[in-house]
Amino acid sequence: MSGDQTLTASPTAAALRQRLLRERLGGAQPEPGLGGGEHPPGRFTGAAGPRRSRIPRADRSGPLPLSWGQQQMWLLHQLAPDRADYLVPVAWRLRGPLDVAALRGAASALAARHEILRTRYELRDGQPVQRIDPPGTVPLPVTELPGVPDAERVHSGLDWAAATAAEPLSLAEQWPWRAALLRFADDDHVLLLVFHHIACDAWTTRLYAEELGALYAGGTAAAALPEPEVQYADFAAWERAEPARAALAYWRQELAGLAPLELP
């Protein structure tokens, strides 16, 4: 598997999403700089960065908080749980023989590596919290479309991917991503991953794609993947504690002595 294209699902980006997905199914390379997201959940689970050493492991004996970015995504999801605005589909056209069992195993191994891919979001005492499930098998349903002529496969793949990506996702009951496979022939498939934006951005979809490919290849490629040192739940707890405390102290100092403003 090679290459990936992040396709953000929103009403204003619908035409762009279809064009990019059409290009990807046709074998075109993605354009640089596409995809979005300001809060990269996986950034603290990939390559080492200068902030990693300052982020301790969160206490998992009690409820785990959401990061500020996650809480925003969670709230938007509550307002419109059946809409696909914040679902991010990523598609690949896979040519050549495909080991479906190995691909399913690679997807499950990817979720085992990254807690955020097996996290559900529940209400506890009126506040959303993260609930991290133990590793398990990631479903990989296969849709069969045999006999489709080569000239029509891109269009058929686009229709299937758009319909599959638009299916609602429950953050309380499901993991924040799903995988699906379309088979045209034994040597021609489309793999679709659909992430909720609460668990991904442009940076992390590239990371997930690279790791999924390595895990599918197995052997030395999978062995070369570094173990994640920090999970996103650790970052969320750290963000809630340290930066919030510093910001609160700053504004207390800046606003000290001000008289309340009497508004009409």
Side-chain angles (χ1 to χ4, degrees):
M1 301 189 312
S2 63
D4 69 289
Q5 180 60 62
T6 303
L7 308 171
T8 50
S10 66
T12 58
L16 175 61
R17 178 182 65 181
Q18 290 197 8
R19 178 177 66 80
L20 294 176
L21 186 54
R22 188 183 300 276
E23 290 175 356
R24 172 51 53 209
L25 297 182
Q29 293 300 312
E31 298 175 15
L34 295 173
E38 296 182 70
H39 306 283
R43 181 161 296 166
F44 299 91
T45 62
R51 298 169 63 188
R52 169 173 290 180
S53 62
R54 304 208 310 262
I55 301 177
R57 181 171 174 80
D59 180 7
R60 282 161 169 74
S61 63
L64 290 165
L66 279 63
S67 71
W68 300 118
Q70 282 182 316
Q71 185 157 327
Q72 180 187 39
M73 286 292 106
W74 178 86
L75 178 59
L76 291 170
H77 180 82
Q78 304 312 303
L79 296 175
D82 295 331
R83 295 188 61 174
D85 299 60
Y86 296 100
L87 296 182
V88 182
V90 187
W92 295 267
R93 183 82 173 270
L94 307 180
R95 302 282 194 164
L98 181 68
D99 187 335
V100 176
L103 182 57
R104 183 180 293 109
S108 301
L110 183 69
R113 284 178 54 80
H114 299 287
E115 289 180 348
I116 197 170
L117 295 181
R118 45 189 170 88
T119 295
R120 292 180 290 116
Y121 301 87
E122 301 178 339
L123 271 179
R124 185 172 299 184
D125 298 327
Q127 294 295 325
V129 296
Q130 299 190 55
R131 182 182 180 92
I132 302 172
D133 291 332
T137 300
V138 173
L140 183 63
V142 180
T143 299
E144 303 277 355
L145 279 183
V148 177
D150 289 348
E152 299 177 11
R153 289 181 179 180
V154 169
H155 180 74
S156 298
L158 177 64
D159 290 343
W160 168 82
T164 304
E167 296 174 4
L169 188 153
S170 171
L171 292 180
E173 300 174 357
Q174 299 172 285
W175 290 354
W177 73 301
R178 59 175 177 262
L181 192 67
L182 175 65
R183 189 205 311 270
F184 290 118
D186 290 341
D187 60 352
D188 192 359
H189 299 76
V190 176
L191 173 63
L192 177 70
L193 304 183
V194 182
F195 299 92
H196 194 283
H197 197 26
I198 201 170
C200 82
D201 71 346
W203 189 90
T204 47
T205 51
R206 289 193 293 271
L207 173 70
Y208 296 151
E210 292 169 1
E211 293 194 358
L212 183 64
L215 291 167
Y216 176 77
T220 57
L225 294 176
E227 284 299 317
E229 299 177 15
V230 177
Q231 297 287 345
Y232 192 70
D234 303 319
F235 166 73
W238 171 84
E239 183 190 49
R240 288 280 184 167
E242 296 302 326
R245 185 180 299 117
L248 184 60
Y250 169 81
W251 285 111
R252 279 178 173 167
Q253 178 180 349
E254 290 295 309
L255 301 177
L258 292 182
L261 180 63
E262 296 295 336
L263 295 176

